[in-house]
Amino acid sequence: MPRLQFLEPIQMLLKMLVDPALQGKRRRFKAEGVVTSPCWQLTVKILEARNLPWADLLSEADPYVILQLSTAPGTKFKTKTITNSDHPVWNETFTFCIQNQVKNVLELRIYDEDSIKQDDLLFEFLYDVSEVLPGKLLQKTFTGSPMVSEELDVEFLAEKILDLPENLITNNVLVARELSCLHVHLYSTGSVVRTPEQEKLQLELVLKGSYEDTQILTLGSASTFLFYYLTAQETELSGRVRSSTDNGWNSPSLTDQFTVPLKPLTKGKEMTIGVPAPYAPGVRLQLKAKSCPKDLAVHLGFNLCSEEQAFLSRRKQVVAKALKQVLQLEEDLQEDEVPVIGIMAIGGGARAMTSLYGHLFALQKLGLLDCVTYFSGTSGSTWTMAHLYGNPEWSQQDLQGPIQYMQEHMAKSKMEAFSSERLRSYHQELNLRAQQWYSTTFVDLWALVLENMLHGQEVHQTLSGQRAALEQGQNPLPLYLSLNVKENNLETLDFKEWVEFSPYEIGFLKYGAFIPSELLGSDFFMGRLMRKLPESRICFLEAVWSNIFSLNLLDLWHSLTSSEEAWKQHIKEKMRNIEKESSVSGTSSYLDTSWLQPGTALAQAFNGFLKSRPLHQRSPNFLHGLQLHQDYRGQKNFSTWADCQLDCTPSQLTPQEPQLCLVDTGYFINTSCPSMFRQGRSLDLILSFDYSLSSPFEVLHQTELYCRTQGLPFPRVNLSPQDLHQPRECHLFSDPDCPEAPVLLHFPLVNVSFKDYSDPGVRRSPAELQAGHLDLSEATSPYSFFNMTYKEEDFDRLLRLSDYNVRNSQDAILQALRMALKHHALGTKPPRVHM
């Protein structure tokens, strides 16, 4: 009997291979993350409003309502205007086609129509339609704040559309829906009549909600173009003929318009229509809708990509060999016994770059560099990383070469970077990027200036090119970190999202969405690659990772006035607000109705002045078009990285933004810690390198606070008064009460014993004492944040200090490595054996 039970799964598998009836089961297993879900028709009836405020002192409001669903792109409805009424009655009905697997939040806006100036927005209501039960009529009254008495009555009905199921791809946070491609072929059976006033006629075609939205082409010659749109979208193609010389676009003789509903257009079959163009008879449009490829160019998933998983297997062999040697182990470590060790370097401009060279140099001398699996950095530390990974064998070769290279360039005058010849070359390259469809900004100029200051020449290296340094597992995996922020309506503390860069992929930790690193800057829609651009050189990414220019006035104010305690209080307050909102509205399928009342025009203008980023960086948003899952807030991976109130409002999150705005992580916390806690990495030991001048533990305390508020296993940072008064070269932290937390060895930038010792255990002679003196005071130090030129002796001293501090901590590092071995063993459970 046991033998038969053992054979049953094999027999079932063989049957699936030959039985067509079971083929679907096998395909669904392979297509993990793919679900089929019907669409629904949402009927919304705007009934009436009461107690609306007067628009001005002389008359009552002339109200109308705008209805919009971000998950039904291109669909926007408007009621009729009721003149002079604080109690308008509309009784108008509108329908939306919605997908119930996504978060559908209806936006209802009441405006006051004005014939002289722009219409005033009176109120805005956001309503999660998941409250509407299928087939049951729901009437809801939306009310304002307790201080006002405005009300809006709306009636809802949801009904399933049986003939419109969709195949969705989802990671339970983001959803990619089915796309169709509309092929449009323009041709003419007659001749275009031109007059002196009309030299050329153009056809404007609009498909709202599509990737292209609007396309304009010249009549008189055959042409073919495409529109990509949601398959379930109930929309229409609209067009009109106009003259290219008509700036107003409203010439009475050329306003002939036409519309073509796309719903009746059968996939694969052609439809031909005539264009009503009196001045261009015989113009025809041939339409044909086709399905788009189902495969995504965006990786939707929180798991590590296959390339990183393969790298880990290769790197473990290198790490196992190195650990055996430095710890003098008697036996070889098996793959599942190898701990995961990471370097976590923070920013600090040229100071961070120089110090990191020293730290790596020391680790290499001690034979410890091969023990490291991950190498993360931000801001200035990424300059070191980008330079080193230009050489695929950098950690296996003497670091004295790249150090000397950087020392020579740091000692040079940086004025040459601003010479007329260099400025011309910058202008030429920025023009070339513009021709390649890149949106160039001041940050791109900063990239070229920074490249010249650090290297004096163009560096023809790309992020994806760094994969060569990982092919044999010969180096740690580099991880670069940035923040995505709002371009013009929020300060960084109010909204920020971690964006990780590696040679394999780039993506959001919060959304579980990643793209191959060579595709950053290319255009995406609904997870599909629309237009591929040439990969940018590494300097343009270095400028993103150290982008200190995209600040707004509120960011600047906080950086100038906030103390560490004020920052901590701010973060705690933010987390309390999120927890309070989550407890009210729930964390999964339902979002409470929210009511927004706009401020005055003056208040809005002042708010925009404070929060706009005049020098912001722009990069196409590869999440464009993707929609949020109905239960996105209930997913652990999303909630781990959701740390602002805006996470409760789907229409305000990044998938709705046309562009990304990437800034230095120092706008929030100067740390690369989040990369260490990505699912699947499970670090056992973190070597933390801090390059702060004035507060050697500030970033560490901020990181601990942030991680604990987010539920991330970070060790307790317990420091004695003596440690705070006089920090040592390294400090070891662990947390027995939190076994998931890695061991952490923190290296602040301090000059404790280096001033008296040239090497560990070797006291300086009186003639050498001057070489041990470093000015690390924030006010007078040559290593200030904005200094990009170091004297050779200053570069050498900072390098030697960092090198010495690590080598002088060799015993502590070895102790931490042994703790990491034990930590990994405790965290690895033996597989169950079935008898």
Side-chain angles (χ1 to χ4, degrees):
M1 188 69 178
R3 183 180 179 184
L4 292 175
Q5 291 177 343
F6 175 77
L7 289 175
E8 282 178 356
I10 300 178
Q11 293 171 342
M12 182 64 178
L13 178 60
L14 292 174
K15 188 177 181 181
M16 287 176 64
L17 294 175
V18 297
D19 187 351
L22 295 174
Q23 291 286 317
K25 293 184 179 179
R26 183 178 57 172
R27 284 196 295 270
R28 282 196 294 270
F29 176 77
K30 285 186 174 181
E32 185 178 358
V34 178
V35 296
T36 300
S37 176
C39 289
W40 295 74
Q41 179 175 284
L42 176 69
T43 303
V44 183
K45 186 175 183 180
I46 305 296
L47 301 175
E48 61 181 299
R50 291 177 295 278
N51 304 318
L52 294 183
W54 279 40
D56 51 51
L57 297 177
L58 301 177
S59 66
E60 293 182 305
D62 303 320
Y64 63 89
V65 181
I66 293 289
L67 304 83
Q68 192 168 9
L69 264 173
S70 61
T71 50
T75 307
K76 186 177 183 179
F77 297 113
K78 175 182 178 296
T79 67
K80 61 180 178 289
T81 300
I82 308 297
T83 57
N84 295 326
S85 176
D86 66 348
H87 186 170
V89 178
W90 289 283
N91 288 323
E92 293 187 58
T93 301
F94 308 94
T95 60
F96 295 90
C97 179
I98 64 172
Q99 170 55 247
N100 71 335
Q101 288 292 313
V102 303
K103 195 67 157 178
N104 296 293
V105 177
L106 180 65
E107 302 172 16
L108 298 165
R109 298 185 179 93
I110 304 179
Y111 286 89
D112 171 37
E113 189 174 87
D114 198 304
S115 58
I116 300 176
K117 58 184 181 65
Q118 184 177 359
D119 295 351
D120 295 318
L121 175 60
L122 301 178
F123 301 102
E124 178 180 4
F125 298 98
L126 303 179
Y127 178 57
D128 185 349
V129 301
S130 62
E131 186 185 17
V132 183
L133 299 179
K136 295 187 178 181
L137 197 65
L138 172 67
Q139 182 171 325
K140 190 171 182 68
T141 298
F142 297 96
T143 59
S145 70
M147 302 297 294
V148 296
S149 57
E150 294 84 356
E151 294 181 331
L152 175 65
D153 291 340
V154 184
E155 197 173 79
F156 297 92
L157 179 64
E159 299 170 291
K160 185 182 292 187
I161 305 175
L162 297 178
D163 62 343
L164 200 61
E166 277 191 282
N167 291 318
L168 311 174
I169 301 175
T170 181
N171 62 357
N172 294 325
V173 171
L174 291 177
V175 177
R177 299 177 63 180
E178 282 191 67
L179 281 186
S180 290
C181 179
L182 180 65
H183 291 247
V184 182
H185 178 60
L186 173 72
Y187 66 97
S188 177
T189 60
S191 60
V192 177
V193 178
R194 291 181 173 87
T195 66
E197 294 80 14
Q198 297 170 316
E199 297 178 355
K200 190 178 293 184
L201 296 176
Q202 293 180 333
L203 176 64
E204 178 194 48
L205 293 177
V206 179
L207 203 168
K208 290 297 182 183
S210 68
Y211 164 70
E212 295 79 6
D213 189 77
T214 302
Q215 298 198 60
I216 300 174
L217 51 146
T218 302
L219 294 179
S221 59
S223 57
T224 301
F225 48 96
L226 308 174
F227 283 99
Y228 291 89
Y229 63 99
L230 275 179
T231 301
Q233 183 178 346
E234 293 188 353
T235 187
E236 60 188 17
L237 178 71
S238 62
R240 64 168 177 166
V241 178
R242 60 134 182 163
S243 170
S244 61
T245 59
D246 176 23
N247 295 327
W249 285 46
N250 287 315
S251 173
S253 59
L254 293 176
T255 55
D256 303 278
Q257 300 185 16
F258 63 92
T259 58
V260 182
L262 296 185
K263 187 176 180 180
L265 194 59
T266 305
K267 293 282 182 66
K269 293 187 178 181
E270 294 180 353
M271 173 193 296
T272 301
I273 63 170
V275 177
Y279 296 90
V283 176
R284 298 287 185 268
L285 283 181
Q286 190 178 77
L287 308 177
K288 187 176 182 179
K290 295 183 179 180
S291 297
C292 288
K294 294 180 174 57
D295 294 337
L296 303 184
V298 176
H299 165 215
L300 291 184
F302 292 90
N303 55 305
L304 302 179
C305 66
S306 58
E307 293 88 350
E308 181 172 340
Q309 294 179 31
F311 162 80
L312 289 176
S313 182
R314 299 191 296 267
R315 185 61 180 174
K316 283 182 179 180
Q317 300 175 27
V318 178
V319 174
K321 183 179 178 181
L323 285 174
K324 181 181 180 182
Q325 184 173 347
V326 298
L327 295 179
Q328 300 180 359
L329 303 176
E330 295 180 358
E331 299 181 356
D332 293 340
L333 291 172
Q334 300 302 309
E335 186 171 317
D336 62 350
E337 297 175 321
V338 179
V340 182
I341 300 164
I343 289 175
M344 187 173 75
I346 74 167
R351 179 178 67 247
M353 177 189 70
T354 306
S355 298
L356 183 53
Y357 277 116
H359 285 140
L360 297 174
F361 197 28
L363 291 175
Q364 187 182 62
K365 291 176 184 176
L366 296 175
L368 296 172
L369 199 48
D370 281 344
C371 299
V372 177
T373 297
Y374 288 106
F375 183 3
S376 69
T378 63
S379 195
S381 62
T382 66
W383 304 345
T384 299
M385 297 168 65
H387 177 216
L388 291 176
Y389 279 89
N391 177 5
E393 304 296 330
W394 73 266
S395 68
Q396 307 303 311
Q397 298 175 359
D398 190 350
L399 287 178
Q400 190 63 52
I403 289 173
Q404 184 176 354
Y405 168 93
M406 193 54 65
Q407 184 177 25
E408 291 173 357
H409 284 283
M410 285 298 297
K412 292 180 181 178
S413 170
K414 301 303 182 292
M415 293 306 298
E416 197 271 337
F418 303 96
S419 67
S420 58
E421 181 181 353
R422 287 295 181 185
L423 292 175
R424 280 195 299 269
S425 70
Y426 302 155
H427 179 69
Q428 291 172 358
E429 179 150 7
L430 293 178
N431 280 341
L432 177 61
R433 283 179 65 79
Q435 293 171 15
Q436 294 173 336
W437 296 96
Y438 278 99
S439 177
T440 57
T441 66
F442 177 82
V443 178
D444 296 297
L445 176 61
W446 159 240
L448 298 175
V449 172
L450 178 64
E451 179 186 51
N452 186 268
M453 289 193 292
L454 295 179
H455 302 284
Q457 59 183 351
E458 286 189 7
V459 178
H460 297 284
Q461 181 199 155
T462 61
L463 181 58
S464 67
Q466 295 182 2
R467 294 170 188 166
L470 309 172
E471 289 178 349
Q472 307 302 320
Q474 68 269 39
N475 299 295
L477 176 63
L479 301 170
Y480 310 88
L481 206 62
S482 181
L483 287 177
N484 178 58
V485 298
K486 288 290 185 181
E487 177 183 318
N488 55 18
N489 61 350
L490 287 173
E491 60 181 302
T492 305
L493 286 176
D494 285 331
F495 182 85
K496 66 279 173 191
E497 298 173 328
W498 302 103
V499 181
E500 180 184 276
F501 298 72
S502 87
Y504 296 129
E505 58 180 10
I506 297 169
F508 284 85
L509 300 182
K510 184 165 80 177
Y511 300 109
F514 300 84
I515 58 172
S517 56
E518 63 268 24
L519 295 183
L520 183 69
S522 297
D523 288 342
F524 291 80
F525 182 62
M526 197 58 76
R528 281 82 169 180
L529 179 63
M530 295 286 108
R531 179 172 59 190
K532 183 178 180 181
L533 301 187
E535 184 176 2
S536 294
R537 294 190 293 111
I538 196 72
C539 70
F540 292 102
L541 293 183
E542 289 179 271
V544 167
W545 301 328
S546 55
N547 176 12
I548 60 173
F549 299 103
S550 297
L551 80 169
N552 56 33
L553 291 180
L554 284 181
D555 286 334
L556 180 62
W557 175 256
H558 282 301
S559 66
L560 294 176
T561 61
S562 294
S563 64
E564 180 180 359
E565 289 304 315
W567 186 94
K568 290 180 180 179
Q569 186 60 37
H570 183 87
I571 296 303
K572 289 178 180 178
E573 186 64 30
K574 291 290 182 188
M575 295 311 300
R576 277 198 293 268
N577 290 339
I578 297 169
E579 291 168 1
K580 179 180 178 181
E581 186 156 352
S582 295
S583 66
V584 172
S585 62
T587 58
S588 57
S589 62
Y590 178 63
L591 171 69
D592 255 358
T593 301
S594 60
W595 170 82
L596 302 172
Q597 183 176 20
T600 64
L602 179 61
Q604 292 181 33
F606 184 66
N607 184 63
F609 171 73
L610 291 176
K611 296 180 180 179
S612 64
R613 302 176 190 269
L615 300 178
H616 68 275
Q617 180 269 351
R618 288 195 299 269
S619 179
N621 180 12
F622 55 86
L623 303 185
H624 178 49
L626 293 169
Q627 298 181 356
L628 286 155
H629 190 273
Q630 61 176 343
D631 195 26
Y632 76 97
R633 289 177 59 210
Q635 302 306 314
K636 179 181 181 299
N637 289 297
F638 178 87
S639 60
T640 297
W641 303 108
D643 59 4
C644 69
Q645 290 174 276
L646 221 57
D647 292 313
C648 303
T649 311
S651 60
Q652 296 297 311
L653 292 180
T654 300
Q656 296 296 318
E657 299 288 346
Q659 302 278 339
L660 304 179
C661 183
L662 302 174
V663 301
D664 194 312
T665 62
Y667 276 75
F668 177 47
I669 310 177
N670 190 10
T671 183
S672 59
C673 169
S675 287
M676 300 289 101
F677 289 97
R678 184 175 165 190
Q679 177 179 299
R681 292 187 176 143
S682 303
L683 268 77
D684 300 290
L685 170 63
I686 296 175
L687 303 179
S688 169
F689 294 132
D690 192 308
Y691 306 119
S692 303
L693 286 180
S694 59
S695 305
F697 300 109
E698 180 179 8
V699 170
L700 198 60
H701 281 133
Q702 290 176 343
T703 303
E704 180 194 13
L705 173 63
Y706 177 77
C707 288
R708 292 200 174 277
T709 56
Q710 300 302 117
L712 296 169
F714 198 84
R716 292 284 181 187
V717 181
N718 294 319
L719 294 161
S720 66
Q722 183 178 357
D723 288 336
L724 292 171
H725 176 70
Q726 181 58 68
R728 293 174 276 112
E729 285 92 350
C730 76
H731 297 260
L732 182 64
F733 304 102
S734 62
D735 193 345
D737 297 329
C738 182
E740 299 86 7
V743 180
L744 188 141
L745 198 59
H746 184 65
F747 293 85
L749 185 59
V750 295
N751 187 359
V752 179
S753 57
F754 177 71
K755 61 180 181 293
D756 299 318
Y757 291 85
S758 58
D759 277 300
V762 180
R763 185 174 288 275
R764 296 183 184 275
S765 65
E768 296 174 323
L769 288 177
Q770 181 61 31
H773 174 72
L774 283 87
D775 183 1
L776 297 179
S777 60
E778 193 168 21
T780 59
S781 175
Y783 310 112
S784 65
F785 179 77
F786 293 102
N787 187 16
M788 288 293 294
T789 304
Y790 288 175
K791 296 178 181 178
E792 287 192 6
E793 57 268 26
D794 288 335
F795 183 97
D796 189 63
R797 286 177 184 174
L798 183 57
L799 179 85
R800 291 182 180 277
L801 170 67
S802 302
D803 168 63
Y804 170 88
N805 283 353
V806 169
R807 290 190 293 116
N808 195 50
S809 306
Q810 182 178 9
D811 291 342
I813 297 175
L814 294 178
Q815 177 191 355
L817 289 175
R818 295 187 182 96
M819 293 175 67
L821 273 174
K822 183 178 179 181
H823 182 274
H824 185 79
L826 292 175
T828 305
K829 297 180 180 179
R832 296 181 180 179
V833 179
H834 297 278
M835 301 301 293

